[in-house]
Amino acid sequence: MENKQKYFLVLIVFILSIKSYSQAKTIHVFVALCDNQFQGIVPVPSKIGNGKDPKLNLYWGAAYGVSNFFNVKTKDWKLVKHLESTNTNVLDRMLFKHATKNVYLLADAYDGQQIKSCTEDFLKVSNKQKLIKIKQDSKELNFGGGADLVAYVGHDGLMDFNVKVSYNKVEGAKKDVIILACYSRSYFSSEIKKANANPILWTTHLMAPEAYTLKAAIDGWVLNESGKQIDERAAQAYNKYQKCGIKGARNLFATGFIN
């Protein structure tokens, strides 16, 4: 009898482990392309500041842009394919898969002129709205409001405009969110509270929202690390590339709301 109980216990653990493995985690990244003309930013060189050209854009195709960094500069993520989007504001959409984990990442490059639309879409998704389903590897992957983690990368448009988002009451676990934009904790706090989302990483000062910080934060999230651990990863990565000093980098990032 004891042997049978042990057998069934091992079998249950095995089945649960298979089920857990088969349920892919998903990440959706919203990138507002850098735009000299339509965003309130200090102008950058014109070829990387054209919000209608993802290929060369500072936050997408440039050396530390999301597309180039995840596709070329890291071995942890592999490009699955480019996808079409029904959203005309999205100029490029790329699907990545983690090299060793059952995690998929969908990255959307928004026309820089449409930064307000990008910001509002990000906030709606943080509130579990706008479900997007993508079939891949015989699986149906949930992005948009169905993603496990959502991130915003780009200029902090809330410095320049107000958003109009109707938020729903959220059931179940709060959505994890990352916001890499200048002073994002100050400007996004009220909206993220209304979205009832969980800010695992955002910023307290001016910053360069480049992809090495995003990648470092995602590394920690994939490993189920705490907000503080993810915060430290972001600071270490930012200091590595920006040479700003680790103290300054640690002061730049924060997790959670101000108590």
Side-chain angles (χ1 to χ4, degrees):
M1 189 68 178
E2 269 187 36
N3 288 336
K4 283 186 177 181
Q5 288 177 333
K6 288 180 180 178
Y7 170 78
F8 283 118
L9 181 60
V10 170
L11 182 61
I12 289 170
V13 171
F14 177 70
I15 291 172
L16 289 174
S17 67
I18 292 177
K19 184 177 180 182
S20 175
Y21 178 79
S22 66
Q23 292 177 338
K25 285 188 173 183
T26 56
I27 302 165
H28 196 158
V29 180
F30 292 75
V31 181
L33 296 181
C34 179
D35 197 304
N36 286 337
Q37 183 178 358
F38 296 105
Q39 295 173 9
I41 62 173
V42 176
V44 299
S46 58
K47 71 176 183 179
I48 61 174
N50 180 353
K52 298 186 183 300
D53 182 10
K55 187 176 180 180
L56 298 176
N57 195 268
L58 178 62
Y59 300 147
W60 191 256
Y64 299 126
V66 169
S67 166
N68 191 61
F69 198 86
F70 279 80
N71 190 29
V72 177
K73 292 186 175 294
T74 176
K75 295 181 180 179
D76 293 333
W77 292 90
K78 305 296 180 184
L79 176 65
V80 176
K81 57 187 173 183
H82 286 264
L83 296 167
E84 294 293 328
S85 172
T86 57
N87 186 340
T88 57
N89 294 325
V90 176
L91 303 183
D92 195 10
R93 168 172 281 181
M94 300 174 74
L95 180 66
F96 295 89
K97 186 179 187 300
H98 197 278
T100 60
K101 305 291 185 181
N102 193 21
V103 183
Y104 289 83
L105 184 153
L106 185 68
D108 282 343
Y110 275 70
D111 181 339
Q113 185 177 357
Q114 305 302 324
I115 185 173
K116 184 175 181 179
S117 175
C118 180
T119 304
E120 290 179 339
D121 285 350
F122 163 74
L123 291 170
K124 289 173 185 176
V125 165
S126 299
N127 186 231
K128 299 188 178 182
Q129 301 180 39
K130 298 175 72 71
L131 176 65
I132 297 171
K133 291 183 177 291
I134 294 175
K135 290 185 179 180
Q136 179 63 33
D137 298 332
S138 302
K139 304 171 186 175
E140 189 170 66
L141 303 172
N142 293 323
F143 293 100
D148 299 294
L149 169 67
V150 295
Y152 175 86
V153 174
H155 171 59
D156 188 341
L158 296 187
M159 293 178 170
D160 308 319
F161 54 75
N162 295 319
V163 291
K164 291 183 180 180
V165 178
S166 296
Y167 293 102
N168 297 330
K169 182 179 179 181
V170 172
E171 296 183 359
K174 294 182 178 182
K175 183 85 66 189
D176 288 339
V177 300
I178 292 171
I179 309 174
L180 297 182
C182 297
Y183 292 99
S184 57
R185 185 172 66 177
S186 297
Y187 283 88
F188 276 82
S189 279
S190 62
E191 298 298 329
I192 294 300
K193 284 180 179 178
K194 287 186 282 188
N196 200 25
N198 176 39
I200 61 172
L201 185 71
W202 46 11
T203 66
T204 61
H205 298 283
L206 296 170
M207 63 97 64
E210 295 180 318
Y212 43 81
T213 307
L214 176 67
K215 195 266 181 184
I218 289 175
D219 285 347
W221 181 85
V222 167
L223 295 174
N224 297 313
E225 291 182 350
S226 68
K228 287 186 178 180
Q229 289 172 310
I230 292 169
D231 185 330
E232 179 63 18
R233 280 182 180 266
Q236 293 289 345
Y238 198 80
N239 180 49
K240 176 182 176 181
Y241 286 89
Q242 290 289 326
K243 311 297 183 187
C244 60
I246 190 60
K247 182 178 180 181
R250 284 171 176 157
N251 288 335
L252 172 59
F253 297 101
T255 186
F257 294 99
I258 298 174
N259 293 329

